[in-house]
Amino acid sequence: MNGPQLIEDTIAFVKHTLKGAEGGHDWFHIQRVFNNAKSIAKQEPVDPLIVALGALLHDIADAKFHDGDETVGPKVASTFLRSKAVADPVLTHVVKIVENISFKNSLETTAVAPFRSLELQVVQDADRLDAIGAIGIARAFNYGGFKNRVLYDPEIAPDLQLTKEAYKAAKSPTINHFYEKLLLLKDQMNTPTGKQMAEERHQFMLDYLNQFYKEWEG
């Protein structure tokens, strides 16, 4: 199967699979990450097919919607790619991207060296860009509402020393999520293009928080 047809088939598969998904992790999130990844990839010596497939499949079965099971997404991605007779090196690389893209994995301490590739870095930057700025704020509050979390509680301080397991189990107010994840992402971008794109979005979040606190105090 040629590359363009595989991309078309993958888009159709993702749209169908994520129909009715929570608004911050639906097809439109995937589409934005896909577009961000293509923009960043133009500036990096990467395999565009792996980047495209990684971006399209990175959230095909987010663990947070599958009882925390981090094996579901990679399995779904692998099964789909095998059904399309994708070459093993490409399939393996894309599945590794799905396994390693998540922010929570950066909180894990292990003696085993994590998977690294330029393609992963591009897709990871594209995904993190969608977690910050105006869209990131909208997604944070959408998910907070989905989980019935309070907007803000001055008595509950952000936990700046979260482990991976603590992060997965967190039920803190949505505003805390800015400090526990969103405001950290600018300095975790991998590529020069990603870093540049993150600057404006990061500043927008700081401005938003300043306004939020002003309005909170009345």
Side-chain angles (χ1 to χ4, degrees):
M1 179 178 293
N2 61 44
Q5 185 60 57
L6 177 58
I7 296 302
E8 282 189 28
D9 288 357
T10 306
I11 289 172
F13 170 71
V14 174
K15 283 184 176 180
H16 174 76
T17 303
L18 296 183
K19 186 177 181 180
E22 182 268 329
H25 299 81
D26 58 5
W27 159 248
F28 295 111
H29 163 62
I30 304 299
Q31 185 179 53
R32 292 190 302 269
V33 172
F34 181 50
N35 290 335
N36 284 338
K38 288 190 293 184
S39 295
I40 297 171
K42 292 176 182 177
Q43 312 300 324
E44 300 294 331
V46 294
D47 184 324
L49 179 61
I50 290 175
V51 167
L53 293 174
L56 289 170
L57 294 168
H58 82 278
D59 256 353
I60 195 62
D62 190 308
K64 68 173 68 71
F65 302 109
H66 292 82
D67 297 321
D69 188 344
E70 297 177 42
T71 68
V72 179
K75 287 178 182 176
V76 172
S78 178
T79 299
F80 169 75
L81 294 173
R82 289 196 186 283
S83 76
K84 297 298 177 181
V86 172
D88 282 343
V90 174
L91 184 153
T92 299
H93 197 154
V94 172
V95 171
K96 285 291 186 182
I97 289 173
V98 177
E99 289 175 337
N100 290 276
I101 191 172
S102 178
F103 167 80
K104 64 181 176 291
N105 290 332
S106 69
L107 303 174
E108 190 171 35
T109 56
T110 175
V112 179
F115 174 79
R116 291 278 189 267
S117 78
L118 282 175
E119 287 79 8
L120 168 61
Q121 291 181 345
V122 168
V123 178
Q124 193 171 60
D125 279 5
D127 186 40
R128 289 176 174 179
L129 283 169
D130 204 55
I132 60 178
I135 292 289
I137 292 170
R139 291 181 67 213
F141 283 107
N142 191 85
Y143 184 73
F146 178 79
K147 300 296 286 186
N148 198 32
R149 294 177 180 172
V150 298
L151 298 178
Y152 173 54
D153 185 340
E155 299 299 317
I156 303 176
D159 186 348
L160 303 182
Q161 304 296 325
L162 282 172
T163 63
K164 178 180 177 179
E165 291 307 313
Y167 177 83
K168 289 173 65 176
K171 299 178 180 179
S172 54
T174 298
I175 285 293
N176 289 28
H177 189 58
F178 284 75
Y179 301 96
E180 294 168 353
K181 176 183 177 180
L182 307 188
L183 292 173
L184 305 178
L185 295 180
K186 176 178 71 70
D187 293 331
Q188 294 188 10
M189 304 301 284
N190 301 293
T191 66
T193 303
K195 291 176 181 179
Q196 182 179 11
M197 294 172 71
E199 289 289 343
E200 181 181 6
R201 300 184 189 211
H202 181 84
Q203 186 59 51
F204 186 92
M205 292 192 297
L206 294 177
D207 294 340
Y208 172 82
L209 287 170
N210 286 334
Q211 183 68 22
F212 181 95
Y213 295 129
K214 287 180 183 179
E215 295 180 13
W216 186 270
E217 296 298 331

